[in-house]
Amino acid sequence: MDFEPSDDQRLLVESVTRMLRDTYDFTRRKSYMALPEGYSPAVWSQFAELGLLGLPFAEEYGGFGGSAQEVMLVMQAFGRVLVLEPYFPTVVLGGAAVNLAGSAAQKQAILPAIAEGGLKLAFAHSERQARYDLTDVVTTAKRGGGWVLDGSKTVVSHGEAADKIVVSARTGGERYDEDGITLFLVDAGASGVARRGYVSRDDTRAADISLSNVSVSDADVLGEVGGGLPIIRRVIEAGIAATAGETVGAMEAMNEMTLEYAKTRVQFGQPIGSYQVVQHRLADMFMAQEQGRSMAMLATMSIDNPDDGARAHDIALAKVGVGQAGRYVSQSAVQVHGGIGMTEEYAVGHYFRRCMVIERLFGDPAYYLARLAAEVG
């Protein structure tokens, strides 16, 4: 199989890389973190102008009809500079939910607005008690004219900045039942919606969201009533594939920084890169990066596989492989840098933290290893 990017994909990567080179460096990133939004609205507008916000959506909805591979390439470029903007929750997660389950009217109302940069989404499924169990949903939606939602969601990526929130709620069945989970589009400013925003360990923003007697109409149901779990799984698989690409970009940046540091840091009268043990570590870091890249490609190729079991298997393999690679490269980069690698003023520690957050997003490697073991047990 040919893994080389097409000419169009090369142009996409070049355009994104050029834009980020002009707008993102470590110093400017810190200034964006200090803004009220926790990211740069000006950069967000540039994403829209470049067409990145509509990349995976059909042309009829203002998009470019891109595939999971294009999204992975963009996320890889984002990972190299630790982009803070809410691309992941808006385009990859929320946008995927609407793209997969939305009616024609819902897509027409939402996707073009995302592509233009005027609408931000959040995907709110995780609950405090659930850990990584997608069926553990205690937020409820009961009939009351339309629907009335009650419950809470936790660690919602950029939940405070979202204009609309894709919320999962139980409309039937018991806790842990696969049937009876429904997705709703909730206006973030609706009565009864409360959001507590905070800065995550990786410098991105998140929020805990509570819903108290939140009224939504039948027109706000995303997909079939009670049939939300398959969509949730597909959205999370898309998220895993995208963050795998982001991790590869972060590993590339850490490897480059560490190699340069090893060439210039002098200890005992010579650069530390001249010592064989450091050379071996740098070689191992590069190998881990390339192994992670292969697993990210596997995840991306699996997204459109119609076989649910095969797709879930490949995604689990990729989650484990990329997570382990990201951890090894991150820890090694900090170790080679020594004390400076642990400081807030130096970039490598920020990459380390982002990779550790991604490693646990939607389930850590141990969780997916257990799933893979269950397949053969």
Side-chain angles (χ1 to χ4, degrees):
M1 183 174 289
D2 184 10
F3 294 110
E4 284 296 314
S6 67
D7 290 341
D8 287 343
Q9 289 169 344
R10 288 192 185 92
L11 287 173
L12 171 65
V13 172
E14 290 171 5
S15 298
V16 175
T17 301
R18 189 182 310 113
M19 184 268 291
L20 292 175
R21 187 169 55 242
D22 294 339
T23 57
Y24 253 92
D25 56 34
F26 187 56
T27 300
R28 275 184 281 197
R29 181 179 184 271
K30 289 192 288 187
S31 71
Y32 299 157
M33 288 165 50
L35 294 173
E37 300 86 354
Y39 65 90
S40 169
V43 172
W44 184 253
S45 296
Q46 286 184 271
F47 288 176
E49 292 171 7
L50 202 57
L52 302 183
L53 303 184
L55 183 62
F57 309 140
E59 292 183 15
E60 62 185 300
Y61 301 120
F64 286 85
S67 67
Q69 188 172 359
E70 280 79 38
V71 173
M72 186 200 77
L73 292 171
V74 169
M75 291 295 290
Q76 185 174 326
F78 286 176
R80 289 183 62 89
V81 297
L82 298 179
V83 160
L84 296 164
E85 283 66 32
Y87 185 88
F88 179 64
T90 296
V91 178
V92 178
L93 299 182
V98 175
N99 216 16
L100 288 166
S103 65
Q106 288 170 328
K107 291 179 182 180
Q108 192 60 58
I110 293 172
L111 299 184
I114 292 175
E116 294 168 0
L119 181 71
K120 292 180 285 294
L121 295 182
F123 183 74
H125 176 66
S126 297
E127 299 184 3
R128 189 173 298 276
Q129 81 291 337
R131 293 293 291 170
Y132 305 134
D133 189 341
L134 300 184
T135 66
D136 190 352
V137 176
V138 298
T139 297
T140 61
K142 298 178 179 178
R143 278 293 185 184
W147 297 89
V148 178
L149 276 62
D150 287 280
S152 61
K153 301 293 181 178
T154 190
V155 197
V156 179
S157 178
H158 284 282
E160 197 174 26
D163 302 299
K164 287 186 178 292
I165 308 167
V166 179
V167 177
S168 61
R170 189 163 287 285
T171 53
E174 302 294 331
R175 184 177 173 185
Y176 305 118
D177 284 351
E178 294 199 0
D179 295 328
I181 300 173
T182 304
L183 291 174
F184 296 88
L185 281 166
V186 178
D187 191 325
S191 176
V193 176
R195 296 180 284 177
R196 183 182 69 84
Y198 48 86
V199 180
S200 297
R201 194 67 187 91
D202 60 353
D203 305 322
T204 65
R205 296 293 180 94
D208 292 339
I209 299 176
S210 64
L211 306 133
S212 179
N213 292 316
V214 177
S215 296
V216 295
S217 70
D218 287 324
D220 296 316
V221 175
L222 200 57
E224 296 181 2
V225 173
L229 187 61
I231 303 304
I232 292 166
R233 285 178 173 148
R234 295 296 298 269
V235 169
I236 287 175
E237 288 166 354
I240 289 172
T243 51
E246 183 181 357
T247 301
V248 171
M251 287 192 290
E252 290 174 345
M254 284 187 286
N255 275 332
E256 289 171 8
M257 284 188 289
T258 307
L259 177 60
E260 184 62 28
Y261 184 79
K263 290 178 179 178
T264 56
R265 174 70 168 94
V266 174
Q267 188 69 37
F268 303 115
Q270 55 186 321
I272 62 172
S274 65
Y275 295 106
Q276 193 175 61
V277 65
V278 176
Q279 294 171 3
H280 286 175
R281 180 58 63 93
L282 292 170
D284 288 343
M285 290 168 65
F286 179 76
M287 289 173 60
Q289 169 192 299
E290 294 308 299
Q291 289 169 351
R293 188 191 310 277
S294 296
M295 299 310 288
M297 289 179 178
L298 173 65
T300 302
M301 290 161 46
S302 302
I303 290 299
D304 294 323
N305 189 340
D307 186 326
D308 292 344
R311 191 178 63 249
H313 175 83
D314 289 346
I315 291 292
L317 285 174
K319 191 72 166 79
V320 173
V322 176
Q324 291 176 340
R327 174 173 285 274
Y328 181 79
V329 172
S330 299
Q331 291 178 337
S332 297
V334 170
Q335 185 176 17
V336 173
H337 278 85
I340 193 174
M342 298 296 293
T343 64
E344 285 293 311
E345 291 75 18
Y346 202 74
V348 71
H350 294 257
Y351 284 90
F352 175 97
R353 296 204 300 264
R354 179 58 183 161
C355 285
M356 294 306 96
V357 168
I358 291 175
E359 183 190 44
R360 289 165 175 77
L361 190 64
F362 307 127
D364 58 21
Y367 170 78
Y368 285 94
L369 279 172
R371 277 179 45 176
L372 290 167
E375 293 180 10
V376 297

